[in-house]
Amino acid sequence: MSGNAPPPPDQPQSFPPPPAPPGVPRPGELLERFLARLIDGVILGVTFGIVAGVISAVFNGYLYWFLTAVISSVGYLAYFTILESSRGATIGKQVLKLRVFGPDGTSLPTQEQALRRNIWTAFGIAGVVPIVGSLIGGLASLVAVIMIAVNISSDPVNRQGWHDRFAGGTRVVKIG
């Protein structure tokens, strides 16, 4: 037998599946999805940095931390939920030509699906707890991101993370 022969059909192949033919959407890869989140994170970070500056001019102490935790958590969740359910993509995803589809693979996710898919972005709400809240929220977000990355990397066919499955099977695809 030559070393180039494919394995028999009853044995699993150890290499990734071939790329999709031209014009056929393929699942968004981990790096593309990470870069889209990075772009969105910069946009939201600047926006909520300005909001935090305004809040700090009016409030201080616990009230400042409470308001910034609530406003930023609600804002992050609203940004991802509204844009993914109404347009299929956040600004970062649009830049990288990624689009989110609902479980049927043809329509946009519903608001509920987009909310469920992005619920982890609201972990910052833990910042309302004095002293340790920001640490707890930050660690919870970090764990969520690591789990998402591991799941996407472990699923070579669909590239779905736990958050996609939690939303009923949403899919992120490359459209360009």
Side-chain angles (χ1 to χ4, degrees):
M1 279 196 135
S2 76
N4 293 336
D10 60 335
Q11 293 182 4
Q13 297 181 3
S14 61
F15 51 86
V24 175
R26 65 171 173 77
E29 297 295 330
L30 180 60
L31 181 60
E32 296 167 322
R33 292 171 74 168
F34 169 78
L35 291 173
R37 282 282 176 168
L38 182 63
I39 292 167
D40 293 327
V42 169
I43 292 168
L44 292 169
V46 168
T47 302
F48 290 118
I50 293 168
V51 170
V54 170
I55 292 172
S56 72
V58 179
F59 302 102
N60 58 22
Y62 176 72
L63 192 52
Y64 164 79
W65 290 107
F66 179 85
L67 289 173
T68 56
V70 170
I71 291 169
S72 63
S73 295
V74 169
Y76 269 81
L77 189 56
Y79 173 84
F80 288 102
T81 299
I82 291 168
L83 289 179
E84 287 182 0
S85 64
S86 66
R87 300 163 98 181
T90 60
I91 294 170
K93 286 182 182 74
Q94 290 174 20
V95 168
L96 291 166
K97 298 181 179 175
L98 296 172
R99 188 156 183 179
V100 181
F101 287 97
D104 65 3
T106 60
S107 62
L108 297 178
T110 64
Q111 279 194 341
E112 179 186 355
Q113 290 163 344
L115 177 75
R116 290 173 63 103
R117 181 175 193 283
N118 293 290
I119 194 69
W120 66 272
T121 63
F123 287 164
I125 196 71
V128 301
V129 176
I131 302 170
V132 297
S134 294
L135 177 65
I136 292 168
L139 286 174
S141 294
L142 178 62
V143 168
V145 168
I146 290 170
M147 288 176 55
I148 289 168
V150 167
N151 289 159
I152 290 170
S153 295
S154 301
D155 183 4
V157 175
N158 294 315
R159 296 290 185 206
Q160 289 179 305
W162 69 265
H163 64 310
D164 292 311
R165 289 189 293 281
F166 182 64
T170 57
R171 299 176 187 280
V172 176
V173 299
K174 183 79 169 181
I175 57 171

